[in-house]
Amino acid sequence: DGFGPEVVRRVLAGNAVLSAGLFHERYEAAAKIRGALRAQFRELFREVDLVLVPTALLPPHLVDGGGPGATEVLGRDILTVPMSLAGLPTVSVPVPVEARIEGEDDAWRESGAETCGMQVVGPGLCDDLVLDAAEVLEKFIASRRE
């Protein structure tokens, strides 16, 4: 109770995967992937302080119907998954969508979306750094609107 249909769908899918009698095999495979992601991010953060990446590949769908199917919805947050699995602090900042070249990013232009999310990602346990950078980004965006 209290959860939307998308949350319920994901919880049920997760339970089905783990209860299919292959729990240990799947858990071990997932743990290896998580470990590899953490190692890759540790290497990355030796070179840079923060990473800025889109939150979603596609524009948001309309709430009042005509939205994507369940499979497409599952893929919309794919760019948040690596950071989540690696346990990294991340915040999404709304960034204005600017005019684009005809033919490129048609989905964004046609959606009428005024903003897109950009994730500010930092190394583990550096939540303050991520939040400070997000605040700087928000102030920069606000200054460009003036």
Side-chain angles (χ1 to χ4, degrees), residues 19-68:
S19 65
L22 300 172
F23 172 80
H24 292 293
E25 180 181 322
R26 290 180 177 160
Y27 181 82
E28 288 173 9
K32 286 180 183 177
I33 291 169
R34 183 181 307 131
L37 275 171
R38 285 181 176 163
Q40 288 175 345
F41 277 113
R42 269 194 304 274
E43 284 297 313
L44 175 65
F45 287 119
R46 287 185 182 146
E47 304 293 324
V48 299
D49 295 324
L50 296 163
V51 177
L52 185 67
V53 295
T55 303
L57 292 173
L58 299 170
H61 61 278
L62 298 174
V63 176
D64 62 354

Side-chain angles (χ1 to χ4, degrees), residues 5-135:
E6 181 57 30
V7 172
V8 171
R9 187 177 304 119
R10 288 176 187 232
V11 169
L12 292 175
N15 285 339
V17 167
L18 293 178
S19 65
L22 300 172
F23 172 80
H24 292 293
E25 180 181 322
R26 290 180 177 160
Y27 181 82
E28 288 173 9
K32 286 180 183 177
I33 291 169
R34 183 181 307 131
L37 275 171
R38 285 181 176 163
Q40 288 175 345
F41 277 113
R42 269 194 304 274
E43 284 297 313
L44 175 65
F45 287 119
R46 287 185 182 146
E47 304 293 324
V48 299
D49 295 324
L50 296 163
V51 177
L52 185 67
V53 295
T55 303
L57 292 173
L58 299 170
H61 61 278
L62 298 174
V63 176
D64 62 354
T71 303
E72 184 181 333
V73 169
L74 286 173
R76 284 182 175 258
D77 64 355
I78 194 72
L79 296 178
T80 66
V81 172
M83 286 62 88
S84 179
L85 287 175
L88 299 176
T90 306
V91 63
S92 183
V93 177
V95 175
V97 174
E98 310 231 346
R100 291 181 167 69
I101 300 170
E102 186 73 27
E104 293 186 18
D105 300 326
D106 281 340
W108 280 96
R109 192 178 66 256
E110 292 169 5
S111 75
E114 295 180 8
T115 62
C116 66
M118 292 297 290
Q119 297 177 84
V120 179
V121 185
L125 304 176
C126 291
D127 302 51
D128 288 344
L129 175 65
V130 170
L131 293 173
D132 289 346
E135 183 178 19

